[in-house]
């Protein structure tokens, strides 16, 4: 059985037993009830259609589905309301508006710029888009219209500390730092906004906060990093210090922080 868990991102309980749905709107300058309803309908429709979730602890009435994908691996909603979706079967990135109209589409299998080999994850803000191009061992950055900017590719670097392979996720903090989930070495690599290496953390030498089989990461508005690893969410601050854990019964499969809400599936 699959579940969606939603939390307000800076007021987590350290442990929970699943079957939990927690939602706290933070905005005061908009109609919160209308915004909450819109966001919940959109998240629900996206999870149903993209990831095939069939049951929840709560009961909902299905509203709609949007887009048409072969094997959608992730999505992200940016602050303008556009939805960016990665498809690991077609190796494409698609952009939809909030009612499902197709805006942009790029990709196809390959190793050149704007091509992909298993785009595992996509992250977008109002101006930039990052794609974890898993089997090409790189992160590609685009502008909001999916024009290629540059790539981060360090697997063959002479400097071991900055190497990453088979990246599963890439996000950017509001300070401009880029955090990449390196599945080959089970750690997080941090770069600046220009792609220059800063540090890595969460590796085998991180003791109680060492990652084992990390799947995906997300960054909060407070610049904390949340990594799903088995049945745990492991939390780091922006400097790579382990600060906490959330433990569930079942293994988590995806994580997103959109606005101030953290959403995980299990």
């Amino acid at each position: 059985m699959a579940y969606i868990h939603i939390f307000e991102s800076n007021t987590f309980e350290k442990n929970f037993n699943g079957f939990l749905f927690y939602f706290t709107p933070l905005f005061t300058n908009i109609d919160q009830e209308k915004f909450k309803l819109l966001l919940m309908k959109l998240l629900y429709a996206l999870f149903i259609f993209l990831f095939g979730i069939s049951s929840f602890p709560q009961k909902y009435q299905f509203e709609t589905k949007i887009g048409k994908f072969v094997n959608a691996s992730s999505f992200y909603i940016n602050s303008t309301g556009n939805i960016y979706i990665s498809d690991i079967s077609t190796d494409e990135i698609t952009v939809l508006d909030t009612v499902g109209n197709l805006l942009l589409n790029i990709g196809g299998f390959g190793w050149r710029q704007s091509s992909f080999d298993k785009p595992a994850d996509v992250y977008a803000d109002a101006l930039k888009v990052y794609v974890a191009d898993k089997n090409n061992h790189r992160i590609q950055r685009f502008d909001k219209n999916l024009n290629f900017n540059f790539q981060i590719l360090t697997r063959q670097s002479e400097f071991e500390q900055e190497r990453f392979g088979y990246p599963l996720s890439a996000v950017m903090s509001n300070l401009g730092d880029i955090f990449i989930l390196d599945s080959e070495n089970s750690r997080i690599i941090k770069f600046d906004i220009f792609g220059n290496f800063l540090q890595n953390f969460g590796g085998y030498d991180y003791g109680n906060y060492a990652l084992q089989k990390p799947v995906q990461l997300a960054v909060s508005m407070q610049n904390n990093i949340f990594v799903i690893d088995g049945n745990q969410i492991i939390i780091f601050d922006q400097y790579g210090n382990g600060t906490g854990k959330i433990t569930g019964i079942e293994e988590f499969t995806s994580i997103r922080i959109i606005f101030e809400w953290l959403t995980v599936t299990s």
Side-chain angles (χ1 to χ4, degrees):
M1 187 172 290
Y3 297 100
I4 293 177
H5 312 270
I6 296 184
F7 305 86
E8 191 274 312
S9 65
N10 59 1
T11 58
F12 298 109
E13 294 288 342
K14 292 297 182 182
N15 295 277
F16 66 94
N17 294 320
F19 304 95
L20 177 63
F21 196 102
Y22 180 70
F23 189 96
T24 304
L26 299 181
F27 303 103
T28 58
N29 59 344
I30 61 174
D31 187 323
Q32 294 188 17
E33 289 303 315
K34 289 183 178 179
F35 180 81
K36 180 170 69 173
L37 180 61
L38 173 63
L39 181 61
M40 295 310 300
K41 285 182 177 180
L42 185 57
L43 286 171
Y44 176 70
L46 282 167
F47 273 104
I48 284 287
F49 186 67
L50 299 181
F51 302 108
I53 294 172
S54 58
S55 58
F56 300 87
Q58 294 78 21
K59 294 181 179 180
Y60 294 95
Q61 180 178 349
F62 177 72
E63 183 73 19
T64 186
K65 64 180 182 179
I66 60 174
K68 185 177 182 180
F69 307 97
V70 178
N71 190 4
S73 56
S74 72
F75 74 92
Y76 204 91
I77 307 171
N78 74 0
S79 59
T80 65
N82 288 338
I83 308 163
Y84 293 77
I85 303 109
S86 60
D87 191 318
I88 59 174
S89 290
T90 62
D91 295 304
E92 294 177 328
I93 303 296
T94 299
V95 186
L96 306 176
D97 64 19
T98 53
V99 294
N101 296 315
L102 176 65
L103 300 179
L104 297 165
N105 178 269
I106 64 167
F109 175 78
W111 52 89
R112 299 181 183 276
Q113 66 184 42
S114 302
S115 296
F116 309 100
D117 185 357
K118 295 292 186 292
D121 197 18
V122 61
Y123 169 87
D125 64 14
L127 298 175
K128 297 172 290 297
V129 180
Y130 291 89
V131 178
D133 191 3
K134 180 182 177 182
N135 289 347
N136 283 325
H137 309 292
R138 65 183 178 180
I139 304 301
Q140 294 196 62
R141 188 181 113 169
F142 304 87
D143 66 18
K144 64 180 181 179
N145 296 316
L146 298 184
N147 297 305
F148 178 81
N149 290 158
F150 65 82
Q151 67 179 12
I152 304 175
L153 176 65
T154 62
R155 195 172 187 237
Q156 303 301 322
S157 172
E158 295 181 357
F159 184 37
E160 189 278 334
Q161 295 296 309
E162 71 174 2
R163 294 179 197 158
F164 66 86
Y166 300 102
L168 296 179
S169 199
V171 298
M172 188 181 72
S173 73
N174 56 27
L175 298 176
D177 296 322
I178 304 165
F179 296 88
I180 298 170
L181 184 55
D182 171 17
S183 71
E184 189 167 48
N185 302 292
S186 295
R187 63 185 181 181
I188 298 167
I189 315 292
K190 179 181 177 181
F191 295 86
D192 67 20
I193 195 171
F194 303 107
N196 300 308
F197 172 76
L198 296 176
Q199 68 174 125
N200 68 58
F201 57 91
Y204 66 89
D205 57 346
Y206 249 64
N208 194 40
Y209 288 94
L211 301 175
Q212 303 299 318
K213 293 182 179 180
V215 175
Q216 197 173 52
L217 58 76
V219 61
S220 71
M221 295 181 70
Q222 294 77 32
N223 300 308
N224 294 315
I225 309 303
F226 296 79
V227 188
I228 54 173
D229 189 349
N231 69 332
Q232 291 188 320
I233 302 173
I234 301 177
I235 308 168
F236 300 91
D237 66 19
Q238 62 181 306
Y239 306 108
N241 301 305
T243 61
K245 294 182 179 182
I246 300 171
T247 302
I249 294 177
E250 300 180 4
E251 291 192 356
F252 297 113
T253 56
S254 69
I255 185 170
R256 276 289 178 264
I257 298 177
I258 298 176
F259 307 119
E260 281 282 2
W261 291 277
L262 183 149
T263 306
V264 294
T265 60
S266 65

